[in-house]
Amino acid sequence: MRLRLVPAETNYDFFKFAPATFGLSVAAVLVSIVVFFTMGLNYGIDFLGGTTIRTESAQPVDVAVYRAALDPLGLGDVAISEVFDPTFGSDRHVAQVRIQAQPGEDAIAPETILALEAALQTVDPGMTFPSVESVGPKVSGELVRTAVMSILASLTAILFYIWLRFEWQFSVGAVAALFHDVVITVGVFALFQIPFDLTIIAGILTIIGYSINDTVVIFDRLRENLRKFKTMPLRDVMNLSVNETLSRTVMTSGTTLIALIALLVLGGDVIRGFVFAITWGVVIGTYSSVFVAKNIVLYLGVKRDWSKKSATAGTQFADIDA
């Protein structure tokens, strides 16, 4: 007996609420852009430069007491935050102390780090420091540029691949959906001020890969149906294609989310931001594949007679299985 989360044959009308879903997507992108420019991201040490020290203590974290202990060192603005995790025992209290790069210095001197640790141990002599990470301001600036370039390069490569595999209308729809996913993900991180570091960039690139995979599956079925149903309205062919791949979409996304939710709850705070980015990406990527990419392709229109070559379509690789 086979498990089915979706009936074998479905006939949902995914265009029934197209104006509402597409309008919601446009609004979400615009709000995300506004939130990004007004609130900004909570950049991690990778992008700001400086030093992050992780502390563990048997005593409860008191941010005010920690800050008072560090004030005599004259380190400027020091960010102190308690780390919460359901896997921590009642006698394990973790905090993160972030010190931005000091003017004129590429990195905080080891003597300064030792003085900082000694100052914190006046609060709790048994306090330990399981990790210390330092990044210079020059390196952090290069990391920002590299992160932006990696995302743009991946979007450009996908645009070119989809154009070769299908037609330019499919490329525009796929890249628009990916842009939608990336912008809204960044907006969520800005809205909730979730720490944003290099691991989140890795998560965004993973989102791009996952989302385009789901989109290509739908586009492949759409191309097959365009050849099979030459007189059926394009909207109906798209609906049919999404319905035929719906079971695969739900099963793939569902099983992926099971593993990701387990990591999100039990994986610990160190990887929580990365896992959250991918978890959110699976949800928003599945949504955009169904409700964003195909809407744009419908609006732009596609060639229905695949027996004739188009001068504007790079479909010379259309029969390659990839």
Side-chain angles (χ1 to χ4, degrees):
M1 183 176 179
R2 296 177 61 186
L3 173 64
R4 288 189 178 277
L5 298 180
V6 177
E9 295 184 6
T10 59
N11 189 30
Y12 300 118
D13 184 2
F14 290 97
F15 287 98
K16 184 177 181 180
F17 302 105
T21 56
F22 198 69
L24 179 64
S25 294
V26 172
V29 169
L30 294 177
V31 169
S32 296
I33 293 173
V34 171
V35 169
F36 172 75
F37 283 106
T38 55
M39 298 182 63
L41 291 169
N42 180 18
Y43 290 109
I45 202 71
D46 296 333
F47 295 131
L48 288 178
T51 299
T52 295
I53 299 177
R54 186 182 178 90
T55 71
E56 288 194 11
S57 173
Q59 299 179 11
V61 175
D62 189 325
V63 173
V65 173
Y66 281 28
R67 191 179 301 280
L70 296 177
D71 280 344
L73 299 179
L75 297 174
D77 188 19
V78 178
I80 304 173
S81 58
E82 185 173 1
V83 178
F84 297 95
D85 194 293
T87 62
F88 291 167
S90 58
D91 60 343
R92 186 184 179 194
H93 302 279
V94 180
Q96 183 172 274
V97 180
R98 188 171 68 188
I99 308 164
Q100 293 189 12
Q102 302 298 300
E105 296 183 8
D106 288 337
I108 294 178
E111 295 80 7
T112 303
I113 295 176
L114 291 175
L116 185 148
E117 293 176 351
L120 289 175
Q121 284 179 331
T122 61
V123 177
D124 177 12
M127 182 181 295
T128 59
F129 308 93
S131 69
V132 178
E133 300 177 1
S134 295
V135 177
K138 182 177 179 181
V139 174
S140 65
E142 292 176 354
L143 290 175
V144 171
R145 289 191 294 273
T146 303
V148 173
M149 290 176 60
S150 65
I151 294 175
L152 292 178
S154 63
L155 291 176
T156 303
I158 289 170
L159 177 71
F160 184 68
Y161 166 75
I162 300 297
W163 175 72
L164 291 178
R165 185 91 166 108
F166 302 97
E167 292 189 40
W168 68 268
Q169 295 94 331
F170 289 85
S171 287
V172 174
V175 172
L178 294 179
F179 178 81
H180 164 275
D181 299 344
V182 171
V183 170
I184 293 180
T185 299
V186 172
V188 168
F189 272 79
L191 179 63
F192 295 104
Q193 290 296 290
I194 302 172
F196 193 92
D197 52 27
L198 281 180
T199 62
I200 307 305
I201 297 297
I204 289 176
L205 293 174
T206 305
I207 292 169
I208 291 174
Y210 184 94
S211 180
I212 196 61
N213 177 68
D214 199 31
T215 303
V216 166
V217 169
I218 296 175
F219 281 176
D220 261 328
R221 184 57 58 89
L222 174 59
R223 185 179 59 186
E224 294 172 4
N225 288 334
L226 285 172
R227 290 168 171 166
K228 188 184 300 183
F229 305 102
K230 297 182 181 296
T231 60
M232 182 183 292
L234 181 57
R235 169 177 169 152
D236 294 340
V237 177
M238 287 187 167
N239 254 332
L240 175 65
S241 302
V242 177
N243 276 284
E244 288 179 346
T245 57
L246 186 61
S247 178
R248 179 262 177 204
T249 298
V250 172
M251 287 294 291
T252 303
S253 300
T255 52
T256 304
L257 284 173
I258 291 174
L260 288 173
I261 291 172
L263 283 173
L264 193 62
V265 175
L266 303 174
D269 68 286
V270 175
I271 63 170
R272 182 158 291 125
F274 172 73
V275 177
F276 174 78
I278 300 179
T279 304
W280 171 257
V282 169
V283 175
I284 197 70
T286 302
Y287 170 86
S288 67
S289 296
V290 174
F291 292 104
V292 177
K294 67 178 181 54
N295 286 358
I296 294 175
V297 175
L298 177 65
Y299 175 77
L300 295 174
V302 293
K303 181 179 65 175
R304 299 302 302 271
D305 187 358
W306 286 74
S307 63
K308 297 179 181 178
K309 293 187 178 295
S310 170
T312 60
T315 53
Q316 61 267 41
F317 301 105
D319 294 324
I320 298 176
D321 292 328

